[in-house]
Each structure stands twice: as structure tokens, then as C-alpha cells.
Amino acid sequence: MKLRIPRPRLRVSQGESAFAAGNARWTNHDLDPIAKNARRWGVLSIIEQSAYWISDALQAATWQFASGMIAVGLTYREALGIVALSFFIISLVISANGAVGAIYHVPFPVIARASWGFWGSYIAIISRVILAVFWFAIQNVNGGNAVRVMLGAIWPSYLDIPNHIPESQGITTNGMVGLLLFWLLQVPFLCMHPNKLRWLFTVKSILVPISWLAILVWAFVTVKGGGGVFDQQAPTVSGSKYSWLFLANMTSVMGNYCTMSVSQSDVSRYSRVSAKWQILYIPMLPAVFTFFSFIGIAASSAGQIHYNLESIPWDPMVLISYWPNRVCRFFGAASFVLAALGVNISANSLSAANDFNALAPRYINLRRGQLLCAVLSWCLVPWKILASAGNFLNFMSAYAVFLGPIAAIMMFDFWVVNRRRYDSLALYQPNNPTYRYTFSIPGFAKTISGTNWRAVVAFVVGVAPCIPGLIKSVNSHIDVGVGMHPFEFGWLLGFVATSIVYLLLSWLFPAKETQVDRAILPDEIYDAGTVDGLESDDPDRKGVVTDTQEKDMDVEKAV
């Protein structure tokens, strides 16, 4: 008997549920709503999802949040206050949009169809996927730097390896080896289904805080009072300059996590608990991120004094590299490797995978989407961006102003315009009139656009005021005058302006076909359908008909 080895297929496994019936262009197994038996975030999901967010906070960016604020003249108190306020605001949006995923168990690209229309949702999807791939690439460099320090602790001469890469590239030979090893470390995790990664976030949320708390203890034991940063009593700026700095730094902090304000449903869709638990993030996120930012301030300030450095080592890898004990250097750097690994999957690769999945559901699923994100990250040559292309990095950081309006449209469409009532089946049927978005001009027939023009107009209104400042951030030689100010609080401005315009247009020109009488939840469709909606990473259970569904099928056949 010959052993048959299955050949790889170009097309991914398509769903067989009512959501996917004759609709391969818009869904596959990974885009279908998560069915009851595939929702693995159960009774302990509150702890697990909290662990997910704590793990997301444990990364180099959180450590460095306050550094830029202190460098421009603010005190550590104001820096921590800005972090707390920024995360309080962003947590409101994360909680509100995450609840949609917990109720309907669908990812961001599908939810976007309700407020943008099937074709209009591509505006939101493409905007997010660009940012997700970019930050995945940048996080690779951060993780690679941590691997480099780990290898240097094990093998000191590794750091003295001759460099064969031109200096203009912004990376050394040993740095490239660290980057490659970190990238390879991620690959097995990118092939796993999100349901199987809960343990990673839990382990990270236990081990990394222990390491960071040890660093905090070291800072206050080594240097009494934590260092010179804590001696600053008043900011060095005042008046209008202080106000604009305050707003600009708020935008900077929120910009780092604005992706999650639209992406939370990609994680919350796997939950079995009530959507009300999403409220937990409102007090938790500001507290967690502010505390870990405080650790970064204390440790970096203490390091400057203890090692007699000219400037504060805000980069944690620079600080750790000064530690004389090789074991401490190894485990200190290892905590940042684990931190970068977790956040790159949860906040970047998973988001990008859902977007690629929605763009080409016939050929891309979650696994392929994450691997595609990993491959494309090399095309961005992130080490060169970080080393020599500051203007481009500023542009991509500022690119977050596009996500504020997107988050606003999704949030207010669900909670206000449609009063928490979506038709989950219609979100997968482009020919269904519910989210087809037709419009008419007096004297002409109705036109089917597939795009909600109200969302597009509101999006443009929210983004337009920030464009001059965005141009300035890319090319500092261009003088835009006071046009820089709207950009300095671009996320807030875009969110508020878009919200007002979208609500006003939805009131004046209501899309009545989208306002369904009651919510149509996925469980109703699965219970009345023919095929169970199981996660695609369970090949032995795909297309398995449940007992209840088998009975329904027998009744239908009898009729």
C-alpha cells in the first residue's frame, strides 16, 4: 500500500456554514463567526485576557513612553499623568469596540462591513494592515537587539565579531544574526491558532513582571531616590508651548496603541464570557501601563548615575548591557525577548493576518496571513528605518491619525446609530440589502455602491486637518505654520470630529436598511444551519455535524 502524501493546496479550506454559502469571495473558516465549541476563552478568560493585556504592556515601548516627554522638558509626574490619561481615553474605545467581537464573535474586517459597507471596509482594512506590518518589522528589530544582548552574555566574544555590513545600513553583523534568530523564533508561534496561544500570554504576564520588578528594586537599592529625574520639581516649558507639548505627547502615547482600538475584536471574539467584562480594561489599562512606564523612568535614571553616563539610557538594552553580571544580563534581555515576542503576535501579526484574510479569503487564512506579515516585514528593512530614516519613522508613527476616525465610526455606528443591533448573517452576504448601502439622487434610479458614503465623508473630515502637520513630520523643511497644531493632537481631533460628522450625517440621511429590528447573533444561524462552525486548525473536526444540527437536518428532509 502506497503512502499518499497530500500536496499543498493553493486555496484554503472554505467554510460550509450558512455564513459561507456561495460566498467564497467574502469569507473562509477563519473569517466565519467563532462557534460555541470553538470559544476557548472560558471561565478563566477574564484572567487570561487580563494576562494578554498585561503581556502587551510589557515591552520596550512602554519602558520608553516617558523618555521623550522628560527630554522635551516635562517632569516625570506629568509624563506618568499623560500616560495614565492617554490610556484611560484609549481604553474606553478598546472596551467599546472589543464588546462587538465578544457579542458577535467576528473579527475587525467583518465588523467594518457594517459601518463602511463591503467595499468601503477596504479603506479601514488597508489602513490597518499597513500599520500592523510596519510595527511588526520594527518590533523584530527590538527583539533582535535583545537576542544580541543575550548572546553577548553567553558568549562575550560574540559582540566582537567583525562587522561585514556597510555602516550605511544601520545594522552590524551580530545585530543581523540577532534579528534573524528572533524572526525564526516567532515562526512556530505564527503557525498556531490564537486559541492555542493563551498560555504564551499567561507565561509572559508572570515571568516578565518578575524581571521588571527586580529591575525596579535594583534601581532604588543602587541609587537612593531612584536618580536625578525624580529631583526635577517643575517643567522647563510653560504657557502655550506647555499645552501643545501636553497634547502632542498624549497623541504619541495613544498612537502606539490605537491599532488595538480597532483590533480588540480580533481577540475578544474567542471569548465565552459576557461582553460586559470588556469594561474591566478601563481601570486596568491605565494602571498597568503607568506602573510599567514608572519602572522605565526609575531604572534608566538610576543607570545614568550608577554608571556615570552623560545621558540617560532610555533604551533598556543599553542599560542592561552595562550590567557586570552575565547571568543578570542574560535573563534581563530574555525578558525583553519574551515581551517583544508576545506583543508582536497579539498586536501586529494577528491584526495583519485578519486583514490579509479579508482581502483574499480564498487563498489566505490566519496562519498564511501571519507568515505573509513576517515575510513582508523584511521588505521594509526596518533596521535602516530606525537608523537613518527618522522622517519616515515619524510619518509611520503619525499614520495613527487615520485609525482614530476609523475607531470612532465603528464605535458610534454600533452603540448609537444601530443601537447594538447587527445582522451577523448579512455581514457575509454582499447581495443582502442590509449592508449593501444604496443611495439615490432625485430624478435618478437608486445606485448600489457597497460603500457607506457617510463613513467616507466623516473619515475625510477627521483626517484632513492633520494633513499639513503630517507633511511637516515627513519633511521638516516645509513650513505649515499653525497647521502643525491640529496634527499635534491628531488622534483626539480626528476621533471627535469624525464622531460628530458621522452621527450628524446618520441622523440627517439615515441608512434605514441597516437598522434591523433585532440583533441576529451567530448562534442563531449555527443552531438552524447544517454545518458546525469550527476553527480551521482542527482538521479532524472540520465540517462535523452536531447532534442538534443532525436532528434539524432530519426534520428538514422529512418535510
Side-chain angles (χ1 to χ4, degrees):
M1 181 178 179
K2 293 183 179 180
L3 178 64
R4 293 184 178 182
I5 301 176
R7 291 182 296 178
R9 293 181 299 177
L10 181 60
R11 293 198 175 194
V12 301
S13 179
Q14 295 293 136
E16 299 176 24
S17 66
F19 297 95
N23 204 18
R25 171 64 185 81
W26 294 100
T27 193
N28 57 31
H29 273 296
D30 288 334
L31 282 177
D32 270 4
I34 304 298
K36 288 180 181 179
N37 53 356
R39 298 169 198 166
R40 303 291 172 81
W41 298 68
V43 177
L44 297 178
S45 63
I46 304 307
I47 299 174
E48 291 166 341
Q49 289 187 39
S50 298
Y52 158 78
W53 270 110
I54 292 173
S55 73
D56 219 27
L58 295 164
Q59 58 157 319
T62 306
W63 180 290
Q64 297 171 305
F65 270 152
S67 62
M69 305 181 207
I70 295 174
V72 297
L74 298 178
T75 67
Y76 81 94
R77 297 183 186 86
E78 291 158 319
L80 293 177
I82 289 173
V83 172
L85 178 59
S86 300
F87 273 98
F88 173 72
I89 295 173
I90 203 74
S91 68
L92 293 172
V93 186
I94 289 172
S95 178
N97 283 332
V100 187
I103 296 171
Y104 291 90
H105 305 285
V106 294
F108 156 77
V110 175
I111 295 174
R113 296 171 188 171
S115 52
W116 290 82
F118 277 78
W119 294 109
S121 66
Y122 284 173
I123 298 174
I125 292 170
I126 293 173
S127 295
R128 190 183 74 159
V129 73
I130 292 173
L131 199 63
V133 173
F134 173 82
W135 285 117
F136 183 90
I138 296 301
Q139 200 64 252
N140 281 345
V141 178
N142 293 333
N145 288 336
V147 170
R148 175 179 172 274
V149 175
M150 284 179 63
L151 293 176
I154 300 173
W155 177 24
S157 59
Y158 166 77
L159 299 177
D160 299 324
I161 292 177
N163 180 37
H164 300 290
I165 299 177
E167 186 177 351
S168 61
Q169 294 300 309
I171 195 171
T172 60
T173 298
N174 54 35
M176 181 61 77
V177 171
L179 173 59
L180 179 60
L181 290 176
F182 179 75
W183 186 86
L184 291 174
L185 174 66
Q186 296 176 98
V187 173
F189 296 97
L190 300 180
C191 294
M192 295 182 185
H193 193 274
N195 263 333
K196 300 176 182 179
L197 289 174
R198 293 173 298 164
W199 66 269
L200 173 64
F201 302 136
T202 303
V203 168
K204 177 185 170 184
S205 64
I206 295 173
L207 296 183
V208 181
I210 293 175
S211 299
W212 285 29
L213 288 173
I215 294 174
L216 179 63
V217 172
W218 168 85
F220 281 95
V221 170
T222 303
V223 178
K224 292 184 178 180
V229 167
F230 296 100
D231 297 331
Q232 186 180 359
Q233 298 299 319
T236 59
V237 293
S238 59
S240 61
K241 185 177 180 181
Y242 172 86
S243 300
W244 289 117
L245 273 177
F246 192 96
L247 290 172
N249 282 292
M250 277 187 63
T251 299
S252 177
V253 173
M254 288 189 291
N256 277 276
Y257 277 85
C258 67
T259 304
M260 295 308 299
S261 67
V262 299
S263 302
Q264 175 63 6
S265 58
D266 292 337
V267 177
S268 63
R269 66 189 296 228
Y270 297 98
S271 176
R272 287 204 302 263
V273 297
S274 169
K276 293 179 180 178
W277 285 104
Q278 297 292 315
I279 300 175
L280 175 68
Y281 302 134
I282 297 176
M284 186 188 72
L285 296 188
V288 168
F289 280 89
T290 303
F291 177 65
F292 290 135
S293 295
F294 173 75
I295 293 178
I297 294 174
S300 300
S301 179
Q304 180 190 27
I305 295 176
H306 185 66
Y307 297 111
N308 296 317
L309 304 178
E310 293 183 1
S311 59
I312 298 178
W314 292 114
D315 185 345
M317 289 304 101
V318 173
L319 174 64
I320 291 175
S321 65
Y322 282 104
W323 293 352
N325 189 296
R326 290 167 56 186
V327 175
C328 290
R329 286 209 309 272
F330 176 84
F331 284 105
S335 71
F336 281 91
V337 171
L338 183 57
L341 173 65
V343 75
N344 222 16
I345 294 173
S346 63
N348 298 323
S349 70
L350 185 58
S351 297
N354 275 293
D355 293 332
F356 286 130
N357 196 2
L359 293 173
R362 287 191 182 99
Y363 306 100
I364 300 177
N365 55 18
L366 281 180
R367 181 187 293 110
R368 292 183 182 182
Q370 291 197 86
L371 292 174
L372 178 60
C373 173
V375 171
L376 290 177
S377 67
W378 287 99
C379 301
L380 295 175
V381 286
W383 56 88
K384 196 168 184 178
I385 293 173
L386 288 172
S388 61
N391 287 336
F392 182 65
L393 185 60
N394 289 338
F395 168 76
M396 290 307 298
S397 299
Y399 189 81
V401 301
F402 293 99
L403 293 190
I406 292 173
I409 291 170
M410 292 177 60
M411 188 175 91
F412 285 100
D413 183 79
F414 178 74
W415 291 98
V416 179
V417 176
N418 286 292
R419 293 172 293 177
R420 299 178 296 170
R421 297 197 294 256
Y422 280 164
D423 183 340
S424 60
L425 184 59
L427 290 173
Y428 292 84
Q429 299 175 332
N431 294 325
N432 190 307
T434 306
Y435 303 113
R436 192 161 50 173
Y437 284 105
T438 59
F439 68 91
S440 59
I441 300 175
F444 295 88
K446 288 187 176 181
T447 303
I448 299 174
S449 65
T451 301
N452 183 6
W453 63 269
R454 304 160 193 81
V456 175
V457 172
F459 177 76
V460 171
V461 170
V463 171
C466 302
I467 296 301
L470 188 63
I471 296 172
K472 173 73 173 179
S473 71
V474 176
N475 188 343
S476 58
H477 299 294
I478 299 177
D479 184 16
V480 296
V482 295
M484 191 67 189
H485 290 326
F487 175 76
E488 290 175 334
F489 63 110
W491 192 94
L492 275 175
L493 175 63
F495 186 89
V496 173
T498 298
S499 301
I500 294 173
V501 173
Y502 186 72
L503 289 174
L504 182 61
L505 291 177
S506 297
W507 177 61
L508 293 175
F509 309 98
K512 295 181 180 179
E513 64 276 8
T514 67
Q515 297 175 11
V516 295
D517 294 332
R518 66 178 185 88
I520 307 297
L521 300 177
D523 292 347
E524 292 184 54
I525 309 302
Y526 280 129
D527 290 343
T530 57
V531 179
D532 192 19
L534 297 174
E535 58 186 275
S536 60
D537 279 6
D538 195 357
D540 295 330
R541 294 278 295 158
K542 282 181 191 175
V544 176
V545 180
T546 63
D547 293 337
T548 302
Q549 292 167 342
E550 188 172 7
K551 293 176 182 178
D552 291 340
M553 293 169 63
D554 292 338
V555 171
E556 290 175 2
K557 289 178 181 178
V559 173

